[in-house]
Amino acid sequence: MKYEVVIGLEIHLELQTSSKLFCGCSTIFGREPNSNCCPICLGLPGSLPVFNRRAIELAVAAALALNSDVQEKSRFDRKNYFYPDLPKAYQISQYDQPLARGGYLQIEVDCASRIINLERVHLEEEAGKLIHSSESIMGSDYSLVDYNRAGIPLLEIVTAPDITSGREARLFLDDLRSVLLYSGASDCKMEEGSLRCDANISLRPAGSDELGTRAEVKNMNSFRAVELALNYEAGRQEEILAAGGTVIQETCHWDEERKKTIPLRSKEGSSDYRYFPEPDLLPLVLESTFIEEISAALPELPPARRKRLKEQYGLDASEAALFTFNRSLGDFFEAAAARYNQYANLAKWVQGDLLYYLRESGKNVEEVEPQKFVDLLTLLDKGDINRPVAKELLSEIVLSGTSPQKMIRDKGLGRISGDEQLLPIVEKVIAENPDAIENYRQGKEKAMAFLVGRVMALTGGRADPGEANKLLKEKISRK
Ligand code: ADP
Ligand code: ZN
Ligand code: MG
């Protein structure tokens, strides 16, 4: 039997606030363990949570950017479970009245557009972090706990089971990350844990519309790992089903080293958490003007920008994707395009040589002035400099920001032309190549190409071949 893969993702995003969700503690990453804590985020008895307005603004911005329907009224619940990283033994989360419902993200898969629907977007608090005495919890004698992260605002984004392969999951995550970055809600750094993803995956007979039993896969630390883990898990489930077995609903752990998913435990159902309304917080009621203001402040978002870049500048799909994902590079391209209308040439230089010199020098594109870059391309277009010189100047513009005109003056890199500069070189070439001159006089056109080549060589390519040709012909026929 042929099976099809069904995937739904749960993404956790740390919101970019300077203080935690329910207290004033700092959210700065990498501080001394347990230094960003207070009675509220440590869950001491008698402490009371207070909403962080900024967290709500960022959550609403992210939800709107994902086309999710922000609810005027939502509510917080306690999700009860015991684990050492959770000092209160419950997490304040949202359950049946989430911040936002539905939504979708339009992604591109192999140049075709796909819609991935969302089920919900909700707010909750982050847990602390366990540091095991050796690599994994299983082989450790003890674990240390750091509550600096406990209480940082988290946004949970849950997709519908709309994703059909590991690769599509990765493409979705790339696009999701880009939208979230544009929304300003998070820095989306996977390496610092501010963006994490759990994946639910099941198989079903191709064409069926019933969902199969799923496994939940955790512990992937990159989008690449999500793709690999899902591909592996799809294979594992297919083997079970093909052998006539049944998949059991369980939680698996992705083992990065062995590139395998390892079943951990049977999955708990939501009734195990004994959710109940958080008695210390009022329901969250958002005024429509509050939501509208946040909506109005959102920038143009990646799917729209990608489409506009193609239409406005005639860029191809990969260029439009690059200038969307790499937002500052896209901003640079657009700033330069406002001053220079050879868009195809501009795009070629930005994604080629400019990107190369930026990587080589470790500079950010924000440090390069679009005007100097445009001046350089214009000098090249006019033939005032040649390509090797243009590249040399570009590397210098990136490094030091010197203007191309100044460098051309100071270093004498401009075009060699006219009676004063070019003529003496032409005369030298004529004096040194009597055989070629003779051949040319006898009608061999190839000899002229050779002579022009000599002029170009002697000028380091800085002469205009057309002018060299003209001067050579004048001189030779006069003799
Ligand atoms: P949980 O109890 O794990 O929170 P949810 O119903 O909230 O379960 O679903 C979590 C995620 O799992 C969602 O992204 C959803 O689309 C996905 N999902 C649910 N059922 C399946 C299934 N049978 N196969 C694949 N993904 C599924
Ligand atoms: Zn605190
Ligand atoms: Mg869930």
Side-chain angles (χ1 to χ4, degrees):
M1 194 189 298
K2 261 190 83 64
Y3 296 99
E4 62 187 31
V5 175
V6 176
I7 296 166
L9 301 177
E10 287 173 278
I11 296 97
H12 285 97
L13 183 75
E14 281 189 0
L15 297 175
Q16 208 160 211
T17 54
S18 49
S19 59
K20 294 185 180 179
L21 184 53
F22 298 121
C23 63
C25 291
S26 166
T27 56
I28 288 180
F29 181 81
R31 284 267 176 92
E32 171 92 357
N34 298 309
S35 61
N36 292 347
C37 302
C38 74
I40 296 173
C41 55
L42 289 175
L44 300 190
S47 60
L48 286 172
V50 178
F51 278 123
N52 174 344
R53 183 188 169 98
R54 185 71 190 136
I56 294 165
E57 287 170 359
L58 294 178
V60 169
L64 291 172
L66 296 169
N67 310 294
S68 190
D69 185 13
V70 176
Q71 307 290 296
E72 274 180 35
K73 186 174 171 192
S74 66
R75 198 186 66 200
F76 286 79
D77 288 87
R78 290 188 179 180
K79 179 179 182 180
N80 298 282
Y81 64 98
F82 172 77
Y83 203 63
D85 65 3
L86 191 70
K88 297 194 292 283
Y90 62 83
Q91 177 194 30
I92 303 181
S93 181
Q94 293 190 300
Y95 183 53
D96 54 357
Q97 293 187 43
L99 179 80
R101 293 177 193 269
Y104 65 90
L105 184 64
Q106 188 191 339
I107 67 170
E108 262 181 41
V109 182
D110 303 326
C111 291
S113 169
R114 286 262 296 134
I115 297 280
I116 306 296
N117 290 292
L118 305 180
E119 287 178 356
R120 56 192 270 145
V121 176
H122 79 236
L123 260 170
E124 60 188 32
E125 55 180 344
E126 177 74 291
K129 188 178 173 203
L130 293 182
I131 301 148
H132 307 303
S133 66
S134 78
E135 298 278 289
S136 79
I137 189 168
M138 300 307 264
S140 293
D141 294 333
Y142 62 88
S143 300
L144 300 170
V145 61
D146 175 6
Y147 289 126
N148 280 353
R149 280 198 347 196
I152 285 182
L154 275 190
L155 199 67
E156 180 172 326
I157 300 162
V158 184
T159 77
D162 280 356
I163 298 168
T164 57
S165 69
R167 178 157 170 274
E168 195 170 279
R170 178 169 56 81
L171 295 173
F172 170 82
L173 288 168
D174 284 338
D175 280 8
L176 178 75
R177 179 170 182 275
S178 175
V179 169
L180 293 169
L181 282 171
Y182 272 69
S183 79
S186 173
D187 62 14
C188 298
K189 288 187 184 158
M190 273 199 114
E191 64 284 8
E192 293 182 7
S194 46
L195 179 65
R196 307 190 294 273
C197 174
D198 299 336
N200 291 270
I201 172 168
S202 63
L203 261 50
R204 65 183 172 196
S208 150
D209 41 37
E210 265 172 58
L211 290 172
T213 307
R214 67 184 148 139
E216 185 181 33
V217 191
K218 292 178 176 279
N219 193 46
M220 292 84 75
N221 55 15
S222 67
F223 293 169
R224 176 85 190 121
V226 171
E227 179 177 7
L228 291 175
L230 286 169
N231 289 345
Y232 179 88
E233 181 60 22
R236 187 185 76 90
Q237 292 185 13
E238 183 163 3
E239 265 178 36
I240 294 174
L241 295 174
T246 48
V247 173
I248 44 171
Q249 184 165 339
E250 59 189 351
T251 300
C252 315
H253 184 95
W254 170 245
D255 186 326
E256 181 65 42
E257 222 129 84
R258 291 192 279 166
K259 302 276 183 272
K260 293 172 92 156
T261 52
I262 318 252
L264 275 188
R265 55 180 147 90
S266 67
K267 175 153 175 65
E268 53 294 286
S270 59
S271 58
D272 296 332
Y273 291 119
R274 298 291 188 274
Y275 279 99
F276 66 86
E278 165 60 64
D280 291 337
L281 288 169
L282 286 169
L284 182 64
V285 178
L286 302 177
E287 307 247 327
S288 55
T289 50
F290 175 84
I291 299 171
E292 280 156 19
E293 272 167 33
I294 293 170
S295 173
L298 281 175
E300 178 187 37
L301 295 164
R305 184 177 208 190
R306 184 139 79 171
K307 184 159 172 278
R308 184 178 56 78
L309 287 172
K310 288 185 207 163
E311 288 166 2
Q312 187 173 345
Y313 305 106
L315 300 182
D316 66 28
S318 80
E319 291 167 336
L322 172 69
F323 293 154
T324 302
F325 281 130
N326 190 335
R327 188 180 190 179
S328 47
L329 198 68
D331 290 347
F332 180 90
F333 171 81
E334 294 208 66
R339 303 165 165 91
Y340 180 89
N341 63 12
Q342 309 291 316
Y343 302 139
N345 189 46
L346 181 64
K348 199 179 80 205
W349 276 85
V350 172
Q351 66 188 318
D353 294 278
L354 177 64
L355 210 50
Y356 171 80
Y357 290 122
L358 287 170
R359 289 197 179 125
E360 197 173 61
S361 64
K363 297 263 181 185
N364 291 321
V365 69
E366 287 93 339
E367 298 172 73
V368 182
E369 281 176 51
Q371 186 62 53
K372 288 181 180 151
F373 186 74
V374 165
D375 288 348
L376 180 77
L377 294 187
T378 310
L379 288 164
L380 178 63
D381 291 347
K382 284 196 300 189
D384 287 349
I385 52 173
N386 61 31
R387 287 183 66 85
V389 169
K391 291 187 181 202
E392 188 185 326
L393 294 186
L394 179 56
S395 106
E396 203 45 47
I397 291 172
V398 170
L399 266 181
S400 66
T402 317
S403 88
Q405 294 89 338
K406 178 168 165 26
M407 287 188 279
I408 290 169
R409 249 183 285 119
D410 293 356
K411 298 186 184 176
L413 291 171
R415 180 157 57 160
I416 294 175
S417 72
D419 287 355
E420 224 169 274
Q421 291 175 300
L422 191 56
L423 197 55
I425 294 169
V426 165
E427 282 170 343
K428 184 163 186 272
V429 167
I430 291 173
E432 283 173 357
N433 297 282
D435 291 354
I437 310 281
E438 197 45 47
N439 287 342
Y440 176 67
R441 288 211 171 109
Q442 286 170 11
K444 288 186 186 155
E445 279 304 319
K446 268 193 187 160
M448 177 52 68
F450 168 78
L451 292 167
V452 171
R454 291 306 306 149
V455 174
M456 296 307 287
L458 287 181
T459 56
R462 288 161 54 208
D464 173 46
E467 193 186 2
N469 187 301
K470 186 169 140 273
L471 283 178
L472 280 164
K473 283 183 178 164
E474 280 173 17
K475 285 288 148 189
I476 297 170
S477 58
R478 250 183 234 143
K479 274 191 181 159

